[in-house]
């Protein structure tokens, strides 16, 4: 996939950046898509794509899905929406295994990821 970036227009959007400055990231998407929207439309998008709004929206939070398709008793589709919350769930060994896997899979790319704000 990394090599495909030379042949295709690809926009990389990161959750941490969206949490940090959603309007900036939405403007990046607008620019990428060559779309110009009025400032009030941009603000509506910022609002409706916020974690809090999406967590309450049945079209985004899967609450309207039957349990046979998505069983919420096992796990919520949307948890907290906090950057870095993985630290509260990974053991040291899991984190080390993830880091090793990540380094192997991301070798040769220039993408960098932030794990916290």
């Amino acid at each position: 996939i990394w090599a495909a970036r030379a042949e295709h227009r690809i926009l990389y959007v990161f959750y941490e950046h969206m949490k940090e400055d959603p309007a900036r990231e939405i403007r990046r998407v607008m620019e990428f898509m060559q779309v110009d929207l009025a400032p009030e439309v941009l603000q509506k998008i910022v609002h409706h794509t916020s974690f809090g709004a999406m967590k309450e929206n049945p079209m985004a939070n899967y609450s309207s899905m039957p349990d046979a398709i998505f069983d919420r008793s096992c796990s919520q589709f949307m948890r907290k929406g906090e950057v870095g919350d993985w630290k509260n769930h990974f053991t040291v060994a899991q984190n080390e295994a993830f880091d090793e896997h990540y380094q192997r899979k991301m070798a040769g790319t220039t993408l960098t990821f932030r794990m916290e704000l």
Side-chain angles (χ1 to χ4, degrees):
I1 292 177
W2 185 247
R5 78 190 192 294
E7 299 172 26
H8 304 282
R9 293 181 68 231
I10 299 172
L11 177 67
Y12 295 94
V13 180
F14 300 96
Y15 184 73
E16 293 78 7
H17 297 166
M18 289 291 294
K19 287 291 286 185
E20 181 178 61
D21 190 343
R24 177 192 66 211
E25 295 304 303
I26 292 166
R27 283 192 294 274
R28 285 184 60 236
V29 172
M30 290 168 48
E31 183 179 314
F32 180 80
M33 295 177 66
Q34 300 174 339
V35 171
D36 190 30
L37 299 174
E40 58 272 9
V41 174
L42 173 65
Q43 287 309 309
K44 284 183 180 181
I45 294 170
V46 168
H47 169 73
H48 289 291
T49 59
S50 70
F51 186 85
M54 290 179 68
K55 191 166 184 168
E56 297 300 319
N57 180 346
M59 296 302 291
N61 67 17
Y62 285 12
S63 64
S64 61
M65 289 281 203
D67 285 345
I69 295 173
F70 187 82
D71 185 0
R72 284 169 297 287
S73 68
C74 296
S75 174
Q76 293 181 4
F77 177 68
M78 299 178 80
R79 294 182 313 119
K80 297 178 189 174
E82 295 176 6
V83 172
D85 188 50
W86 61 272
K87 294 176 196 174
N88 297 319
H89 301 276
F90 275 35
T91 65
V92 172
Q94 288 171 324
N95 187 42
E96 289 171 353
F98 174 82
D99 285 345
E100 181 182 313
H101 180 78
Y102 172 84
Q103 293 302 321
R104 201 170 47 251
K105 292 294 186 179
M106 297 304 290
T109 73
T110 58
L111 285 177
T112 56
F113 294 86
R114 294 167 44 192
M115 301 298 178
E116 50 196 343
L117 293 180

